[in-house]
Structure formats: C-alpha cells, structure tokens
C-alpha cells in the first residue's frame, strides 16, 4: 500500500515543526478507551488536541466539537483533515486504535510530519500479512496457514498441524481467537469465526473472508510498550501475564509490571521486537507488542503501531508523574521527558465476563476496593446491559488497578480484590425482551 501523497491533489506544504503550534490531531473511534487518557495528558502538558471521529451524536464535547470524518471513506477523510490543517496547522497526527492508525499515517505523510509508512501500519494490523513478512525477514514465527472462507475448508486443511489457533486477520483484543486440537474443533471454530466476521463491520472483503491458522505456541506471555524514533526501539515497560493462556479462548486478565523476567531474556525480547518492527517497516511512534517465551526463544504474536488497549496505560508513570499518553504526545512533538519509572509494582485486572446474559449487578465492589494496595475498582458495564464473553465479545466487565511495593504484592492484591466480586447475570432468552 503506497502513501497517500500520490493520490491526493493540492498537497499541503510541510510545516516548520519548531514554529508550528503544539496542536495534535487524534483520530479516535467513538468507543475508544484511549481518548480520555490522551485528553487528560494533553491538558497536563498544555497541548491542544483535536479529536477526529465519525460524525455520530455524542454527549462528549471533544467528539461533538471535533473534526467529523467518514472513516469508511479514506480519501474523503484525508481531504477533511487536510482542509483543517490548512486552516490551522497540526504539529502531529496520531491514531488511537487499530481502526485509525492507517489514516493517521496517511495524513501525517501528506502533512510532512513524522510518521510510519502506511504499508508498515497495514502490515502491523493484518495478522496474516504480518506473519508472512516476519517469516520472510527471518524473525521466528510458528507455522501458519490461511483459510479462505469462500472456498470449501476440506481442501485447505490437509497440511494443518494440531494443536493450532484460529484468528481473524483484522480484529483485536483476542476477539475470535480459538484453539483447536483436532479437525472437528477446527471446523467448528472456523464456522463460529465466520459468523463473527459477518457481523464485525469490517470494510475489506478479504478481512471478512480470511482466517489465519497458526501452530499453538506454548509458553509465558508478556506485553511490551515501546517507542520508535527513526527506527530505534526504546522499551518503556514489560507487562507479565501471570495466568496461563492456553485456550480454548484467550481472555487476557492480569497485567503486572515490572516484569520478573531475567535480564538476558528481556534483552532477547527487546531484540526480537526490534527485528519485527524493522521487518514491518515501522519507524516512528508507539508500539504495543505481544510475545510468548519458551525454551525455543521469543515468539512474536503481534506488534501494533499504537499504545496498549483498554485503560492499561494507567499503569505506567514516567519522570515526575508523566503518563504513557503524555510521553506519546511529547514524542510526537519532538519533545523528550525523562524516562525514570516510579519504583514498586503495579498491575491491572481486566475483569472477565463470566457468562453470557443480562447483567443484574456486581456485588462486593466496596470490599474489593478496601483490599490493601488496590487503587480503584471500575465497573464499566451498566446493570441491564447484555454481557458477551469471548470469543465473540470485545470488551471487559471493568478494571481493577493496584500499586504496591513489588510486582508480586500488586498481583496478590488484584487476586484478592477479584475474589471479593460476585457477578450476578440473568440468562438471555432469545426472542424475549427484557
């Protein structure tokens, strides 16, 4: 995929970054968890942020008063952004989520601002293309296959080895990711994912019609936050995921930092993520990587050209109270705060949805909040709303945050707080209104 410069008429003259105002365009879907943390960070640093999103009704002033785009029409959205930049220049353009990073790269390229090549961002978002590129570049990847849902599966499964994992090629947060230990399970999982993809509102037909199948990688899983500057990777933090993620679904729960991996393993992790970023062609801005580690080495699950999802970025503090979002904004503006992380440990539990149905109530929230080292318990789903667990679901019940003198104490606090909660769910009977 080429940069948009060749496809756009009336190119905009690149601004002088030293003279440009500290004004940032943040392209963010309406349902993004990332918008509020970026707005808070911008206010703390005196940075002006304009939100660009779909033209939907919103009670949130940043969306209502922001730039309205048709995210289904890339070129129309790009022209809207360029007209706004001519009216008042931007010093940087950022995408908050996978759905907006490609458009952000296109706009930054046309405006002459630091950016990732759009082809690199596309690779990072598309799991099947990413696997092929990593293999081509010599980065260790599991054996993998593509299933074309427009063709009979029987003719495509002969070479697949078990256990394996099926994944949509363009969804995030473990949505639609299912382990299969035999051919029957693979067939059932493919059918289930096909239904999910038909409802997922993916714009590209290939993304609705393709499943990535890859050899299951056993091992310990971590998430990594980093920043790229002219292709050089700086690791900000490593999150341990202490619970085993062996399937059949892959719901992420606990993220704990700092990592308890030894220094040698962390160095290999850094080198592998750096190699993957280079293989994609990523050069500027935040990256979020997911990796598995076993006795065969470090294996890349993904390297996304964005920050961590959900509210997990709250765990990071840099310098004198700087957040991850502050750091990303300042990096985009060419400014560099100190990177001295706070001491101690921190963790988050993304509260899993225990079963499908209608949420009646969550009991024990006050007790969970009184557990030592717990900072906050957030329930994001309102009573009366439908709960959809993985692999079809795409959200969590809420979050529990902890800060403690050590990573181990933070993890123990989260487990104790979670044990206080009781989620009361009423079954959802099809055809019956509630």
């Amino acid at each position: 995929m080429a940069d948009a410069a060749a496809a756009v008429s009336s190119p905009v003259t690149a601004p002088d970054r030293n003279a440009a105002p500290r004004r940032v365009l943040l392209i963010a879907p309406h349902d993004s968890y990332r918008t509020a943390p970026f707005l808070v960070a911008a206010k703390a640093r005196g940075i002006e942020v304009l939100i660009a999103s779909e033209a939907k009704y919103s009670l949130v002033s940043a969306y209502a008063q922001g730039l309205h785009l048709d995210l289904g029409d890339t070129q129309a959205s790009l022209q809207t952004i360029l007209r706004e930049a001519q009216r008042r220049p931007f010093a940087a353009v950022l995408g908050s989520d996978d759905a907006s990073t490609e458009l952000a790269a296109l706009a930054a390229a046309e405006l002459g601002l630091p950016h990732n090549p759009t082809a690199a961002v596309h690779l990072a978002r598309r799991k099947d293309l990413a696997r092929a590129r990593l293999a081509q570049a010599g980065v260790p990847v599991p054996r993998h296959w593509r299933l074309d849902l427009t063709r009979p599966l029987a003719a495509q499964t002969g070479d697949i080895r078990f256990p394996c994992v099926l994944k949509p090629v363009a969804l995030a947060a473990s949505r639609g990711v299912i382990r299969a230990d035999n051919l029957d399970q693979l067939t059932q999982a493919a059918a289930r994912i096909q239904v999910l993809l038909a409802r997922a509102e993916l714009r590209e037909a290939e993304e609705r019609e393709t499943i990535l199948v890859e050899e299951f990688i056993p091992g310990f899983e971590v998430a990594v936050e980093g920043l790229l500057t002219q292709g050089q990777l700086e690791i900000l933090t490593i999150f341990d995921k202490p619970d085993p993620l062996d399937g059949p679904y892959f719901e992420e729960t606990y993220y704990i930092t700092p990592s308890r991996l030894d220094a040698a393993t962390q160095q290999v992790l850094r080198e592998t993520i750096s190699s993957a970023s280079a293989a994609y062609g990523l050069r500027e801005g935040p990256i979020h990587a997911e990796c598995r580690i076993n006795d065969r080495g470090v294996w890349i699950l993904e390297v996304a050209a964005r920050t961590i999802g959900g509210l997990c970025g709250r765990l990071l503090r840099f310098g004198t109270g700087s957040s991850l979002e502050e750091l990303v904004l300042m990096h985009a503006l060419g400014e560099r705060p100190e990177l001295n992380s706070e001491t101690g440990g921190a963790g988050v539990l993304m509260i899993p949805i225990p079963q499908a149905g209608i949420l009646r109530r969550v009991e024990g929230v006050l007790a969970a909040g009184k557990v030592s080292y717990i900072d906050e318990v957030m329930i994001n789903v309102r009573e009366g709303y439908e709960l959809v667990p993985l692999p079809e679901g795409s959200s969590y019940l809420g979050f529990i945050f902890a800060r403690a003198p050590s990573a181990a104490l933070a993890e123990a606090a989260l487990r104790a707080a979670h044990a206080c909660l009781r989620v009361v769910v009423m079954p959802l009977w099809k055809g019956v209104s509630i």
Side-chain angles (χ1 to χ4, degrees):
M1 180 182 295
D3 278 355
V8 178
S9 59
S10 303
V12 176
T13 302
D16 178 355
R17 295 188 78 214
N18 294 324
R22 297 170 83 235
R23 184 179 190 234
V24 175
L25 180 69
L26 178 67
I27 307 174
H30 268 265
D31 59 355
S32 173
Y33 282 111
R34 312 300 305 128
T35 307
F38 270 111
L39 292 175
V40 171
K43 183 176 181 180
R45 290 288 178 176
I47 299 169
E48 180 185 352
V49 170
L50 179 69
I51 300 296
S53 192
E54 307 97 327
K56 295 181 179 179
Y57 175 77
S58 178
L59 293 175
V60 180
S61 61
Y63 281 109
Q65 299 170 12
L67 195 63
H68 295 158
L69 306 176
D70 177 2
L71 294 180
D73 188 335
T74 299
Q75 289 304 315
S77 295
L78 186 58
Q79 292 294 342
T80 300
I81 292 169
L82 296 183
R83 284 193 295 270
E84 176 63 23
Q86 288 178 325
R87 189 183 72 84
R88 285 189 61 208
F90 296 109
V93 181
L94 297 173
S96 67
D97 302 77
D98 287 330
S100 57
T101 51
E102 288 186 57
L103 178 57
L106 285 168
E110 181 65 17
L111 293 171
L113 300 172
H115 66 284
N116 284 310
T118 54
V121 177
H122 185 66
L123 274 174
R125 190 180 64 83
R126 275 285 298 266
K127 295 178 176 65
D128 55 334
L129 303 179
R131 280 282 178 259
R133 178 58 61 88
L134 292 181
Q136 183 182 40
V139 179
V141 293
R143 288 181 294 180
H144 54 279
W145 307 265
R146 279 174 38 128
L147 294 181
D148 181 348
L149 295 175
T150 67
R151 298 171 48 216
L153 289 185
Q156 305 177 65
T157 58
D159 295 333
I160 294 177
R161 297 293 176 263
F162 297 97
C164 65
V165 178
L166 289 78
K167 303 178 178 182
V169 298
L171 294 181
S174 300
R175 193 177 179 199
V177 180
I178 305 175
R179 172 172 166 162
D181 292 334
N182 54 53
L183 185 57
D184 285 344
Q185 290 182 8
L186 181 147
T187 302
Q188 294 168 13
R192 192 169 180 178
I193 296 171
Q194 186 170 19
V195 172
L196 169 62
L197 291 175
R199 300 172 178 171
E201 299 182 355
L202 294 168
R203 293 193 297 270
E204 297 183 19
E206 189 176 41
E207 295 176 357
R208 299 191 298 269
E209 297 167 354
T210 306
I211 295 175
L212 173 68
V213 182
E214 60 186 33
E215 181 182 20
F216 173 73
I217 309 168
F220 182 72
E221 191 162 316
V222 298
V224 179
E225 293 302 295
L227 277 174
L228 287 167
T229 306
Q230 296 182 358
Q232 297 300 307
L233 176 64
E234 182 173 33
I235 298 294
L236 302 178
T237 197
I238 301 171
F239 294 105
D240 290 345
K241 303 182 187 181
D243 277 358
L245 293 167
D246 293 331
Y249 316 123
F250 295 85
E251 187 166 46
E252 297 181 305
T253 49
Y254 295 93
Y255 273 41
I256 310 295
T257 188
S259 175
R260 286 160 278 185
L261 295 173
D262 61 73
T265 302
Q266 291 191 34
Q267 180 59 28
V268 176
L269 183 66
R270 179 192 308 270
E271 293 170 354
T272 305
I273 295 171
S274 183
S275 296
S277 300
Y280 295 161
L282 297 174
R283 294 189 53 79
E284 291 292 338
I287 63 103
H288 171 73
E290 305 273 350
C291 304
R292 287 223 168 178
I293 303 168
N294 57 29
D295 55 7
R296 296 168 59 195
V298 173
W299 301 83
I300 296 289
L301 298 182
E302 72 164 335
V303 177
R306 54 166 172 77
T307 59
I308 192 170
L311 298 177
C312 302
R314 287 180 52 174
L315 297 184
L316 286 77
R317 292 292 183 271
F318 299 96
T320 55
S322 299
S323 67
L324 171 63
E325 292 76 25
E326 287 178 72
L327 186 57
V328 170
L329 286 168
M330 294 179 73
H331 177 271
L333 296 172
E335 303 171 13
R336 297 293 296 164
E338 294 182 3
L339 295 180
N340 299 319
S341 298
E342 289 184 352
T343 58
V348 61
L349 167 64
M350 292 165 276
I351 305 172
I353 291 175
Q355 66 186 85
I358 301 299
L359 177 64
R360 279 310 188 198
R361 61 187 178 276
V362 180
E363 300 174 348
V365 174
L366 291 179
K370 292 178 181 178
V371 172
S372 296
Y373 304 124
I374 294 299
D375 271 359
E376 187 176 8
V377 180
M378 299 174 58
I379 305 299
N380 290 345
V381 182
R382 295 171 58 185
E383 296 176 4
Y385 278 67
E386 182 179 357
L387 299 179
V388 182
L390 284 176
E392 285 79 13
S394 59
S395 61
Y396 293 89
L397 187 64
F399 301 85
I400 304 177
F401 296 92
R403 288 191 179 275
S406 69
L409 287 173
E411 180 185 341
L414 291 172
R415 294 189 185 278
H418 190 208
C420 294
L421 300 182
R422 179 172 177 265
V423 183
V424 180
V425 180
M426 186 180 75
L428 177 63
W429 302 100
K430 299 299 183 182
V432 178
S433 60
I434 302 299

